[in-house]
């Protein structure tokens, strides 16, 4: 592994230069990779693997939208597309990429079709770490590994196609064959990861659940809404409030952060913006510390898991979710956002 200085702390990472795609192909040359689930991560990882020359089959419930999507993506029923149990039985590496709630419900089917020496692959530590709630306990004669891309399936695919790749964490939970680590790193490279950094199943799920509920999604959405509502309350128009809250962030500033870091973004803004941001950043940081403390405790205690599984296991979950998503879509803020996006030069005439 390559040794990299991360802010003064030396960590080991796996790069595509030291663990090449050719090496991954050699490690996985005899594997049949069964991707179970074709929803969020499944399509991206399956298509990236197929494009890189690996033998991939899909396991999905017949007749649904995801089954049809797999067909549209070129997977053929009876050849590379099968019902879940059949795909699991055919695979030597089972990529378990269903939702967390669905993983819990279908585990008896997967477990029944695991053979000695198979490899059970996750992209999230949820099912293993919270086994008291999920009841997912793999048999001792299979490898259990994790490769968790640090991005949505959409961007896993987009970044692969543009040649960059999404960084991924990786971990081995159980090494039954003596090959689990090689299988794990090979799979990380095979799906197109930018680089791989080691973790544990527990650390992955704790950081992932915190991040999704925090800065990446929950906190971001909440803070945006608060600022937008403040500006509207004080007489600013919807277009002005949205541009100052969301559009400038997503179309300009966050791109500067991505390129060279927060200090570089600050350095490329006006002196007035710099002074205000430097003064107010610690106030926002200190204000949210108690909320993040509560969030992390809820994650590590399993409370977030209980809430998620209880909600996502309801038969009318999809309908209830759509109601919540529609409420966001139909709010003034995000209707204003749709209008702003339509006015971007690249969207004119569409």
């Amino acid at each position: 592994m390559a040794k990299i200085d991360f802010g003064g702390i030396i960590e080991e990472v796996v790069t595509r230069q030291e663990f090449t795609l050719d090496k991954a192909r050699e490690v996985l040359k005899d594997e049949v990779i069964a991707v179970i689930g074709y929803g969020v991560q499944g399509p991206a990882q399956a298509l990236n693997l197929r494009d890189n020359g690996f033998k991939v089959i899909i396991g999905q419930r017949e007749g649904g939208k995801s089954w049809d999507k797999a067909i549209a993506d070129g997977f053929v029923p009876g050849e590379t597309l099968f019902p879940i149990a059949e795909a699991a039985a055919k695979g030597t590496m089972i990529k378990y990429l269903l939702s967390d709630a669905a993983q819990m419900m279908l585990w008896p089917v997967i477990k029944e079709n695991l053979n000695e020496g198979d490899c059970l692959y996750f992209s999230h530590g949820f099912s293993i770490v919270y086994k008291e709630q999920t009841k997912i306990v793999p048999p001792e004669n299979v490898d259990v590994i994790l490769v968790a891309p640090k991005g949505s399936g959409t961007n896993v695919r987009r970044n692969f196609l543009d040649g960059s790749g999404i960084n991924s964490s990786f971990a081995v939970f159980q090494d039954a064959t003596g090959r689990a680590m090689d299988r794990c790193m090979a799979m990380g490279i095979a799906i197109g990861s930018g680089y791989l950094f080691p973790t544990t199943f527990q650390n992955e799920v704790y950081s992932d659940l915190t991040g999704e509920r925090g800065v990446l999604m929950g906190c971001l959405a909440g803070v945006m809404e608060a600022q937008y509502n403040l500006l509207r309350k004080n007489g600013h128009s919807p277009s002005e409030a949205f541009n100052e809250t969301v559009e400038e962030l997503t179309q300009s500033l966050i791109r500067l952060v991505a390129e060279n870091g927060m200090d570089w973004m600050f350095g490329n803004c006006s002196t007035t913006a710099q002074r205000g941001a430097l003064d107010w950043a610690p106030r926002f940081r200190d204000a949210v510390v108690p909320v993040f403390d509560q969030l992390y405790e809820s994650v590590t205690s399993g409370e977030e898991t209980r809430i998620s599984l209880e909600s996502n296991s309801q038969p009318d979950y999809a309908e209830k979710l759509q109601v919540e998503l529609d409420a966001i879509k139909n709010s003034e803020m995000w209707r204003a956002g749709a209008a702003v996006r339509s006015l971007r030069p690249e969207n004119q005439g569409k």
Side-chain angles (χ1 to χ4, degrees), residues 6-311:
F6 288 91
I9 297 175
I10 304 299
E11 297 185 37
E12 293 184 328
V13 302
V14 178
T15 69
R16 292 189 286 194
Q17 287 69 43
E18 60 176 317
F19 201 114
T20 65
L21 184 57
D22 284 341
K23 183 175 180 179
R25 289 179 178 135
E26 178 62 27
V27 170
L28 303 178
K29 64 182 180 181
D30 297 323
E31 306 282 8
V32 176
I33 303 168
V35 177
I36 307 300
Y38 208 73
V40 180
Q41 282 288 334
Q45 294 195 32
L47 292 171
N48 292 1
L49 285 165
R50 189 179 68 181
D51 288 355
N52 272 334
F54 296 90
K55 186 174 182 180
V56 183
I57 62 175
I58 306 299
Q60 180 60 43
R61 180 176 61 84
E62 292 183 83
K65 291 182 179 179
S66 293
W67 179 273
D68 293 339
K69 176 174 171 52
I71 293 174
D73 287 341
F75 293 98
V76 180
E79 296 181 15
T80 54
L81 175 60
F82 304 93
I84 289 174
E86 189 174 354
K90 289 178 179 292
T92 60
M93 297 192 76
I94 291 81
K95 293 171 75 79
Y96 206 19
L97 300 180
L98 295 167
S99 69
D100 296 320
Q103 285 186 18
M104 180 177 66
M105 289 186 287
L106 286 170
W107 173 242
V109 174
I110 301 300
K111 185 177 181 180
E112 183 181 356
N113 288 285
L114 286 173
N115 299 307
E116 182 175 356
D118 282 352
C119 182
L120 182 61
Y121 167 110
F122 295 89
S123 281
H124 192 20
F126 189 102
S127 291
I128 295 295
V129 172
Y130 298 112
K131 60 183 181 295
E132 291 83 6
Q133 297 182 63
T134 65
K135 310 303 180 187
I136 294 179
V137 180
E140 295 181 356
N141 62 355
V142 302
D143 292 341
V144 183
I145 66 173
L146 174 145
V147 176
K150 299 298 105 180
S152 70
T154 297
N155 285 329
V156 169
R157 183 62 176 162
R158 283 178 180 171
N159 285 37
F160 174 85
L161 292 174
D162 71 21
S164 58
I166 290 281
N167 302 328
S168 302
S169 59
F170 73 100
V172 171
F173 179 78
Q174 183 168 285
D175 185 4
T177 67
R179 299 188 296 118
M181 183 58 76
D182 278 349
R183 280 170 139 179
C184 187
M185 291 189 291
M187 188 62 78
I189 297 301
I191 65 171
S193 301
Y195 72 87
L196 303 169
F197 61 96
T199 187
T200 65
F201 273 62
Q202 178 172 286
N203 282 351
E204 189 282 330
V205 75
Y206 286 0
S207 59
D208 187 73
L209 292 182
T210 300
E212 290 169 347
R213 286 150 178 76
V215 170
L216 302 180
M217 294 176 68
C219 175
L220 180 64
V223 169
M224 284 179 171
E225 186 177 355
Q227 179 171 303
Y228 178 89
N229 289 343
L230 171 73
L231 293 174
R232 291 288 290 123
K233 183 177 70 174
N234 284 281
H236 299 270
S237 69
S239 60
E240 183 171 56
F242 190 87
N243 271 286
E244 294 293 350
T245 299
V246 179
E247 194 74 353
E248 187 172 355
L249 170 68
T250 59
Q251 297 302 295
S252 175
L253 298 184
I254 205 65
R255 296 180 179 183
L256 300 181
V257 176
E259 288 174 21
N260 285 300
M262 188 69 73
D263 60 318
W264 196 77
M265 184 269 277
F266 278 18
N268 282 271
C269 292
S270 71
T271 55
T272 301
Q274 290 170 5
R275 185 68 268 145
L278 289 167
D279 289 346
W280 277 91
R283 303 186 200 184
F284 281 107
R285 179 198 62 211
D286 294 345
V288 301
V289 164
V291 179
F292 273 98
D293 285 340
Q294 294 169 21
L295 168 56
Y296 197 74
E297 169 60 26
S298 188
V299 168
T300 58
S301 70
E303 177 63 10
E304 290 300 307
T305 302
R306 183 194 66 75
I307 294 169
S308 179
L309 291 176
E310 185 177 285
S311 171

